[in-house]
Amino acid sequence: MTHAFVPSSNVAALRESATIAVSARAKALRASGRPVIDLGAGEPDSSTPAFVAAAAATAVANGATRYTQVEGIQPLREAIAADATARSQLREPVSASDVVVGAGTKQALFNACFTLFGPGDEVLIPTPAWTSYYEMIALARATPVAVRGTRERDLKVDATQLREAANPRTRGLILNSPCNPTGTVYSADELGPILALAADRGWWVLSDEIYQRISFDSPAPSALDVVTSRERLVLFNGVAKAYAMTGWRIGWAIAPPEVAKTMTALQSHTTSNAATVSQHAALAALTCREQADSAIAAMVAELRRRRDAVCSLLRRAQLDFIEPGGAFYTFVRIPTESELGDGSDFARRLLEDRDVAVVPGAAFGTPDWVRLSFAAPFDEVLEGVRRLIRELS
Ligand code: PLP
C-alpha cells in the first residue's frame, strides 16, 4: 500500500517563491538552447568584488572553518553596529549585542517575524511587496494584511491608509525602501508620519533596507534617520545586493537586545551560525571602506544608466510604469481592459513567444503589473524591454 504525502498544517498553504520559480524556468529554457533574456533576476549581474573573495580565501587558510557564535563573529557585529551608529541620528549607539547575523537577510526577517508575531496578530504590509513577507507572516501563524499603495504615490502607502487598515489586533508593519518590486524610495518626509503612527500604536516596525545603498537620485533614507527611539524597531540589511554577494548568504537584524537574544535562540535550533567563511567575507566588505565604496559606486552608475535607458523606452511607448529611484527593478502595468489577460498571462506569453522572463505582479500582491529587473547586461535589458513593448502593443 502506498501512502500519499499530506503536508502538515504548518506548510499546507505555503506557496513556492514566484520570483525564484521564474528564474528557474528561465534558466531551464536557456539550458535547452532557447536564447532567453532574463529580466526576472533578483540579484546583481556583477561578481563579488575581488578583495572580498580574497579576504574569504585568507580567512579559510587561517582556519576560519569552524562554528562561530550563533549570532555571528564579534568583529562583524561590531562593524555592523558601528555602521548603523554612524548613520543614526539617535543619541544611544547601536551595540554589537543588538545585531544577529543570519544566513541572508531572508533568515533574519523570518526569525524576526517568528519571534514577534503569532496567532491572532495582524501585520500590515504596504503592497506591492516582496513575496516572502506574506509567507513568513503566515508561517508565524499571524495574518498578513496587504495595504495597497496608490498610483498617485507610485504605489507607496501613507499613514492614513495604514491607520484605516489597522485594528486592535495589528501588531506590526513591514517597510521596504527602496522597494522590491517597484524601486520606489520613501522620503524622510513620507517615513516620518508612518513611523510616528507606528510608535503611537506600539507596532513593531520591520524595516528591510537591503537596497538602501542602491539609489539613483539621492541617498535613500533609513528608518534610523527618522525614528525617535529604536524600542520597537528592527532593521534588516545584508551584503547580497549592494556588495554583489547573494550566494554568500549573509544578512542581519538590528533589534532591541531582548529581541536579538530570542532571535539568536531560535536560530540556535535551526541553522546555528551563518557560514563562517561568509562572515569573514562580509567583514571585509564592511570594513575595507574605500574599495567597497568604489565597487558600489561603479555598480550603481551602471544600474542608473540602465534605469535611464529603460525608462526612456517605456515613456516613449507611453506605458504606465513606476520610475525607480533605487534597487534594480521597474514595475509595468498590464492594461487589463485589453485582451492581454493579467500580469501572469502576459508574463507567460512573453516568455513562451518572445523569450523574455519577467515576474508576474501577482507574486507581489498586484496581479495587474509585472516586474522587470535591469540586473542584466545593458543590451539585453534594452532588447528585452523592446520585446515587452512589442508584446504589449
Ligand atoms: N528583502 C528583499 C526586499 C529582497 O528583495 C530580498 C532578495 O531578493 C531579500 C530581502 C533577501 O535577501 P538575502 O539574499 O540577503 O536573503
Side-chain angles (χ1 to χ4, degrees), residues 121-357:
D121 295 338
E122 295 190 3
V123 181
L124 305 179
I125 306 183
T127 296
W130 185 50
T131 185
S132 293
Y133 299 143
Y134 308 96
E135 301 294 339
M136 287 177 182
I137 298 295
L139 282 169
R141 307 211 176 202
T143 305
V145 176
V147 184
R148 191 155 174 174
T150 56
R151 182 63 193 90
E152 308 79 70
R153 235 179 272 112
D154 282 346
L155 303 181
K156 289 184 275 189
V157 301
D158 68 2
T160 306
Q161 284 177 284
L162 294 171
R163 193 179 296 110
E164 282 165 5
N167 65 48
R169 292 181 299 281
T170 306
R171 292 257 293 150
L173 162 70
I174 302 188
L175 293 176
N176 174 218
S177 172
C179 170
N180 176 4
T182 58
T184 47
V185 177
Y186 281 77
S187 67
D189 284 348
E190 288 169 326
L191 284 177
I194 292 174
L195 292 169
L197 170 70
D200 180 55
R201 300 289 173 94
W203 298 339
W204 285 104
V205 174
L206 277 57
S207 184
D208 178 354
E209 304 184 352
I210 188 157
Y211 295 100
Q212 206 229 351
R213 295 206 62 185
I214 306 178
S215 68
F216 304 127
D217 306 315
S218 51
S222 159
L224 269 185
D225 300 330
V226 180
V227 285
T228 51
S229 151
R230 288 200 297 117
E231 203 187 348
R232 296 241 142 195
L233 175 67
V234 188
L235 289 162
F236 300 88
N237 215 323
V239 290
K241 314 287 176 171
Y243 301 88
M245 290 177 68
T246 47
W248 297 81
R249 310 307 305 129
I250 294 290
W252 54 84
I254 300 177
E258 64 281 16
V259 176
K261 228 164 140 196
T262 311
M263 287 173 58
T264 302
L266 172 61
Q267 190 166 302
S268 78
H269 294 295
T270 53
T271 57
S272 296
N273 62 275
T276 304
V277 60
S278 298
Q279 293 189 57
H280 285 275
L283 178 61
L286 292 190
T287 51
C288 302
R289 269 289 173 74
E290 259 176 48
Q291 294 173 82
D293 286 352
S294 84
I296 293 172
M299 181 174 76
V300 170
E302 172 58 19
L303 289 172
R304 184 185 295 111
R305 182 168 86 100
R306 296 177 201 165
R307 187 272 312 250
D308 291 346
V310 166
C311 289
S312 140
L313 281 179
L314 294 172
R315 217 175 285 120
R316 229 177 303 145
Q318 300 191 327
L319 294 184
D320 185 9
F321 70 101
I322 307 292
E323 183 154 349
F328 34 73
Y329 310 109
T330 184
F331 220 38
V332 180
R333 195 172 77 83
I334 306 304
T336 40
E337 56 277 12
S338 69
E339 334 69 73
L340 294 165
D342 66 5
S344 302
D345 300 327
F346 177 78
R348 205 171 307 117
R349 257 202 337 274
L350 189 64
L351 183 57
E352 301 307 332
D353 300 352
R354 297 194 191 260
D355 288 332
V356 179

